[in-house]
């Protein structure tokens, strides 16, 4: 067995032994020892069985170069262990002590404008800095050596939310090495970047710099490669420390916390390096679409872990403190957010953080134990969550099945949003979220896959916006449609090659035969009406297109909708060619939903509730293992028809033909306990 398989098995064993993990970041070094005993007592009261310790403790452990202050850590690990609380021990490398930057300014990152960032906040390190990497490695090795066999330590947490981008000289050196590896020689780079444009030809790799402040637009290929490089660089920081922990003989699973669709790390390349995928999720209570948007992130995490359960490593129990205006979550809302993650495959529900900071930058960020103390609705809410999670122990380790893949590629996202394109109003995430919402409203989860991934198992493949598609991926889509899968492709897909060079020929060059149509010229567009073909209807008062349109002509495909106004009048906007569907414009929600509904129906893909194609507004339904989760995201009760005799794991009640879900409430209906 590989060490990853063994480590994953260790995670599964932890969950099997304790039930779902529940807890959060715990920063005892920020508190006097007197509070520790109270912390642990209240953790037990709340049902906390798992905490992440030490994320920001570097300066406590190493107050001066080479020092090692372990007493406090020895003591708290022992206390947690005595109380049956498992520890996810962090390498404290996300925030180096101030002395490191003072003694070695080369560890400090440099931003795009050439400004060197200083200590006094956090994340003040350059992932490219050799000095930083050596110091991070040294402290990690020592922590691993000391605690690899500690019975409290059940997991390792490397770094924190890796995302620092450095544009300084060390980053330049590393970028050049990366480029040389990718291109072999400078001629190949010049060709890939088309540096003849604007006289950018390089004579040697030594001349190349990261994108910094420039007089005008950056070469999009340079920018794309720098983003790829920066993600790889951060990943190398992680794998280096992970390997050091493993080399110490530590058998526990090792992870690092992801951040959903985070713009600076291509998690498709990171995921296999984590023994368990873990993620930080902060849906904004002010966002009316938060439930579907976070559901998509949760589907991404499940997909990154190849379908295995994942960990919600951080979330807030009420308000965060980093938005411009921070709305709280009611205890009911916080509970629903946690149960949503469980419903969508999480085996661990954790918060940032256990005890609210008394001072420091995050003094107003909510925590399980707030400033007000245990006599508070927030803490009582935490206790209720702990109790609920115990009732859901049977769900741990179970999986979620789907027939739908949604293709997403970080490189395509990066290249597709480089400035100087037909419109700045086309946002990849906005489009991906719109497409997903249509499926979420039907209770259909997706596997989020890279376009080059194996797609044989899917009956529906969605490609909301893949600016870059490899030839192989385009062929795979054609192959999938030929074997009967429904393939739905959104606008501005298959535009560029892997170096962000525009494919030559009528667009989308690689997909032209598949979609039975081709186009010339993409442009921004003002909102305009669509004329729907007979037999194609949409639940839409005023079907329209906006943002971006492609001058398409049908070449065998059936035109389901065409532009009705102005210069574009008569130009196809929605095409169907057997099993392939293509949108040549950003179409309104109703039209998009109609296309997706037809593709799902053609593939006979339905949601988890018989007879309900579309769920009542604000109801989320997802089946995990043999438990049907129903979440009411609204302020009013919702009735749902279900099979009679299911048992709600949260209440113990048996269902009739209809189950009522109170505002904000959640049901977890088990079929196994079906009587
Ligand atoms: C992130 C970090 C935490 C904390 C929270 C606040 O998730 O990892 O240290 O700053 O944000 O929301």
């Amino acid at each position: 067995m590989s060490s990853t398989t063994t480590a994953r098995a260790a995670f599964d064993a932890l969950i099997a032994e304790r039930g779902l993990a529940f807890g959060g970041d715990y920063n005892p070094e920020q508190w006097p020892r007197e509070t520790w005993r109270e912390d642990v007592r209240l953790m037990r009261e709340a049902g906390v069985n798992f905490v992440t310790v030490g994320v920001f403790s570097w300066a406590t452990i190493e107050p001066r170069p080479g020092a090692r202050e372990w007493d406090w850590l020895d003591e708290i690990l022992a206390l947690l262990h005595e109380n049956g609380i498992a520890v996810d021990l962090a390498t404290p490398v996300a925030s180096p002590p101030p002395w490191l930057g003072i003694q070695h300014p080369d560890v400090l990152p440099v931003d795009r404008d050439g400004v060197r960032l200083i200590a006094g906040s956090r994340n003040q390190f350059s992932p490219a800095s050799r000095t930083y990497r050596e110091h991070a490695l040294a402290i990690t090795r020592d922590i691993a050596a000391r605690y690899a066999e500690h019975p409290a330590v059940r997991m390792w947490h490397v770094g924190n939310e890796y995302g620092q981008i450095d544009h300084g000289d060390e980053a330049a050196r590393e970028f050049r090495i990366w480029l040389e590896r990718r291109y072999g020689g400078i001629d190949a780079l010049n060709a890939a970047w088309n540096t003849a444009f604007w006289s950018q030809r390089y004579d040697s790799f030594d001349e190349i710099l990261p994108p910094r402040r420039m007089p005008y637009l950056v070469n999009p290929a340079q920018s794309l490669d720098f983003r790829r490089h920066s993600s790889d660089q951060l990943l190398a920081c992680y794998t280096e420390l992970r390997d050091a922990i493993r080399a110490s003989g530590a058998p526990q699973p090792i992870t690092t916390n992801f951040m959903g669709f985070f713009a600076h790390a291509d998690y498709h390349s990171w995921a296999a390096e984590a023994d368990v995928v873990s993620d930080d999720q902060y849906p904004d209570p002010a966002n009316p679409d938060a439930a579907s948007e976070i559901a998509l992130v949760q589907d991404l995490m499940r997909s990154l872990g190849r379908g295995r359960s994942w960990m919600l490593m951080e979330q807030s129990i009420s308000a965060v403190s980093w938005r411009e205006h921070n709305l709280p979550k009611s205890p009911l809302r916080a509970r629903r957010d946690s149960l949503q993650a469980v419903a969508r495959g999480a085996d661990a529900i954790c918060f940032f953080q256990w005890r609210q900071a008394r001072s420091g930058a995050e003094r107003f960020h909510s925590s399980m134990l707030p400033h007000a103390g245990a006599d508070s609705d927030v803490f009582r809410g935490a206790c209720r969550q702990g109790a609920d999670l115990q009732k859901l122990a049977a769900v741990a380790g179970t999986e979620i099945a789907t027939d739908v893949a949604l293709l997403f590629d970080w490189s395509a996202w990066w290249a597709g949003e480089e400035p100087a394109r037909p419109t700045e109003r086309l946002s990849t995430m906005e489009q991906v979220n719109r497409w997903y919402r249509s499926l979420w409203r039907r209770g259909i989860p997706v596997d989020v896959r890279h376009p080059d991934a194996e797609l044989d198992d899917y009956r529906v493949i969605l490609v909301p916006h893949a600016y870059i598609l490899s030839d192989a991926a385009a062929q795979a889509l054609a192959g999938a449609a030929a074997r009967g899968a429904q393939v739905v492709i959104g606008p501005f897909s298959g535009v560029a090659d892997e170096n962000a060079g525009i494919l030559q020929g009528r667009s989308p060059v690689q997909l032209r035969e598949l979609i039975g149509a081709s186009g010339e010229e993409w442009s921004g567009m003002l909102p305009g009406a669509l004329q729907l073909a007979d037999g194609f209807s949409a639940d839409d008062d005023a079907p329209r297109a906006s943002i971006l349109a492609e001058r398409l002509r049908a070449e065998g495909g059936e035109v389901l909708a065409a532009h009705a106004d102005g210069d574009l009048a008569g130009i196809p906007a929605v095409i169907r060619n057997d099993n392939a569907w293509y949108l040549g414009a950003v179409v309104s929600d109703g039209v998009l939903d109609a296309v997706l509904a037809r593709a799902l129906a053609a593939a006979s893909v339905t949601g988890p509730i018989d007879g309900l194609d579309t769920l009542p507004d604000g109801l989320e339904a997802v089946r995990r293992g043999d438990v049907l989760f129903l979440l009411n995201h609204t302020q009013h009760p919702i009735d749902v028809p279900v099979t009679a005799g299911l048992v709600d794991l949260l209440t113990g009640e048996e269902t009739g033909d209809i189950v009522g879900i109170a505002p904000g409430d959640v049901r977890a209906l088990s079929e196994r306990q079906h009587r």
Side-chain angles (χ1 to χ4, degrees):
M1 261 204 293
S2 74
S3 65
T4 307
T5 319
T6 322
R8 172 73 212 198
F11 173 75
D12 293 338
L14 170 69
I15 298 297
E17 171 194 311
R18 315 243 161 155
L20 299 168
F22 178 56
D25 277 26
Y26 180 39
N27 297 305
E29 74 279 12
Q30 298 173 13
W31 293 92
R33 277 177 167 74
E34 301 85 82
T35 61
W36 296 1
R37 291 200 175 268
E38 184 191 34
D39 282 330
V40 169
R41 179 175 59 77
L42 292 173
M43 283 178 191
R44 289 181 59 141
E45 194 174 318
V48 165
N49 57 16
F50 180 92
V51 290
T52 299
V53 174
V55 176
F56 295 110
S57 66
W58 193 341
T60 304
I61 296 172
E62 191 174 7
R64 59 204 69 81
R68 293 291 182 259
E69 302 283 339
W70 300 122
D71 290 359
W72 69 277
L73 193 49
D74 291 350
E75 198 178 322
I76 194 70
L77 291 186
L79 183 63
L80 290 164
H81 186 56
E82 275 161 31
N83 284 277
I85 298 166
V87 172
D88 170 29
L89 188 55
T91 66
V93 299
S95 195
W99 58 257
L100 188 66
I102 292 167
Q103 292 195 357
H104 307 280
D106 54 300
V107 304
L108 298 170
V110 174
D111 75 7
R112 213 183 169 89
D113 294 339
V115 177
R116 198 172 277 285
L117 310 179
I118 58 163
S121 177
R122 67 175 185 192
N123 302 1
Q124 65 284 356
F125 68 87
S126 160
S129 160
R130 289 187 177 152
T131 312
Y132 165 74
R133 300 268 288 257
E134 277 161 22
H135 280 81
L137 203 48
I139 194 160
T140 298
R141 283 196 180 117
D142 288 356
I143 291 179
R146 190 172 181 91
Y147 298 108
E149 289 171 10
H150 196 292
V153 178
R154 303 297 297 270
M155 174 170 268
W156 293 91
H157 183 291
V158 175
N160 189 56
E161 299 192 332
Y162 275 108
Q164 299 70 19
I165 305 300
D166 182 34
H167 297 256
D169 291 340
E170 288 211 78
R173 181 202 63 221
E174 292 292 314
F175 184 36
R176 290 178 196 129
I177 295 171
W178 186 94
L179 290 169
E180 214 160 338
R181 218 174 289 135
R182 180 173 171 88
Y183 293 107
I186 196 69
D187 292 345
L189 176 138
N190 279 312
W193 289 12
N194 191 23
T195 54
F197 184 83
W198 282 354
S199 178
Q200 291 167 355
R201 182 187 172 281
Y202 296 101
D203 210 43
S204 100
F205 284 96
D206 297 339
E207 296 171 359
I208 298 175
L209 292 168
R212 292 179 179 160
R213 173 84 76 99
M214 295 182 193
Y216 190 40
L217 298 166
V218 183
N219 182 329
Q222 177 184 4
S223 191
L224 174 60
D225 275 347
F226 185 66
R227 300 192 76 150
R228 287 172 169 149
H229 155 72
S230 298
S231 172
D232 288 355
Q233 181 78 52
L234 287 166
L235 178 57
C237 290
Y238 163 72
T239 54
E240 185 168 79
L241 301 187
R242 178 204 59 190
D243 293 348
I245 295 170
R246 196 59 83 219
S248 76
Q252 302 89 345
I254 305 174
T255 192
T256 184
N257 43 349
F258 293 169
M259 289 174 278
F261 288 89
F262 174 62
H264 298 302
D266 174 355
Y267 292 141
H268 279 309
S269 61
W270 285 61
E273 307 293 346
D275 296 323
V276 183
V277 167
S278 66
D279 195 45
D280 297 352
Q281 299 174 358
Y282 291 95
D284 185 353
N287 174 4
D289 292 320
S292 74
E293 291 180 11
I294 209 69
L296 172 59
V297 169
Q298 294 169 346
D299 283 8
L300 169 70
M301 292 306 141
R302 195 191 76 247
S303 311
L304 290 173
R306 297 176 300 280
R308 308 295 309 273
S309 57
W310 52 279
M311 305 176 69
L312 177 50
M313 191 61 98
E314 284 185 31
Q315 60 171 335
S316 67
I317 199 155
S318 182
V320 299
S321 55
W322 42 262
R323 293 195 172 99
E324 182 261 331
H325 189 59
N326 300 296
L327 296 190
K329 290 181 187 174
S330 67
L332 198 64
R333 166 70 191 258
R335 170 183 185 261
R336 195 181 71 216
D337 282 359
S338 293
L339 296 179
Q340 182 183 20
V342 174
R344 308 198 80 92
D347 271 359
I349 298 298
C350 302
F351 294 86
F352 178 86
Q353 58 177 333
W354 161 251
R355 185 187 275 272
Q356 189 165 24
R358 188 176 53 81
S359 48
E362 293 181 323
R363 65 210 178 283
F364 288 115
H365 194 291
S366 63
S367 300
M368 299 168 83
L369 184 59
H371 294 311
D375 181 11
S376 59
D377 287 346
V378 169
F379 183 70
R380 282 184 281 274
C383 295
R384 181 176 184 202
Q385 289 198 32
D388 279 338
L389 293 179
Q390 282 167 18
K391 296 177 194 155
L392 294 177
V395 175
T398 58
E399 300 191 357
I400 294 167
T402 184
D403 293 311
V404 181
L406 183 149
L407 305 193
F408 185 89
D409 168 24
W410 263 262
S411 280
W413 181 19
W414 292 330
E417 296 198 357
E418 270 298 306
R421 51 192 172 123
T423 172
E424 299 277 327
R425 297 182 194 167
L426 183 66
S427 144
T428 302
M429 283 319 302
E430 217 172 280
Q431 295 310 315
V432 169
N433 276 313
R434 287 179 71 227
W435 284 50
Y436 182 76
R437 205 171 302 133
S438 233
L439 276 86
W440 182 81
R441 290 175 54 236
R442 296 180 158 75
I444 300 173
V446 303
D447 282 350
V448 181
R449 307 302 307 269
H450 187 281
D452 290 329
E454 171 72 61
L455 299 173
D456 283 359
D457 290 340
Y458 298 103
R459 281 149 61 189
V460 175
I461 300 169
L462 306 179
V463 191
H465 175 34
Y467 181 78
I468 292 178
L469 262 189
S470 67
D471 290 343
Q475 276 163 23
L477 290 177
R483 68 164 164 78
Q486 301 297 310
V487 178
V488 193
I489 302 166
F492 219 37
S493 292
V495 173
D497 65 25
E498 58 168 9
N499 299 315
I502 307 304
L503 296 172
Q504 300 298 290
R506 291 186 64 86
S507 58
V509 177
Q510 307 146 307
L511 302 169
R512 183 172 172 179
E513 257 177 62
L514 172 63
I515 64 168
S518 76
E520 61 179 85
E521 193 176 47
W522 302 277
S523 56
M525 72 168 289
L526 298 173
L530 286 179
Q531 176 72 46
L532 305 190
D534 291 348
F536 178 71
S537 60
D539 187 10
D540 199 329
D541 292 343
R544 44 183 220 294
S546 62
I547 301 182
L548 177 124
E550 181 177 10
R551 218 161 241 288
L552 274 185
R553 84 177 169 223
E555 293 173 339
E558 178 192 356
V559 179
L560 298 181
H563 294 276
D565 298 329
D567 279 356
L568 287 169
I571 298 283
V574 180
I575 294 268
R576 177 185 187 172
N577 193 33
D578 294 330
N579 297 334
W581 309 71
Y582 183 70
L583 307 178
V586 176
V587 296
S588 49
D589 286 347
V591 177
L592 176 61
D593 194 60
V595 171
L596 296 174
R598 278 164 183 72
L600 292 165
S604 306
V605 172
T606 53
I609 300 176
D610 287 346
L612 273 192
D613 273 352
T614 305
L615 302 170
D617 268 355
L619 178 77
E620 176 168 354
V622 58
R623 187 183 301 284
R624 178 175 180 190
D626 52 23
V627 177
L628 173 64
F629 282 88
L630 300 171
L631 300 100
N632 182 347
H633 293 284
T634 76
Q635 305 288 341
H636 53 80
I638 299 181
D639 285 345
V640 183
V642 292
T643 319
L646 303 177
V647 172
D648 186 344
L649 298 178
L650 292 165
T651 62
E653 283 164 22
E654 196 172 317
T655 58
D657 292 345
I658 302 277
V659 61
I661 313 160
D665 202 5
V666 178
R667 300 285 188 154
L669 306 180
S670 168
E671 282 169 2
R672 201 170 339 148
Q673 297 199 17
H674 189 180
R675 298 167 195 171

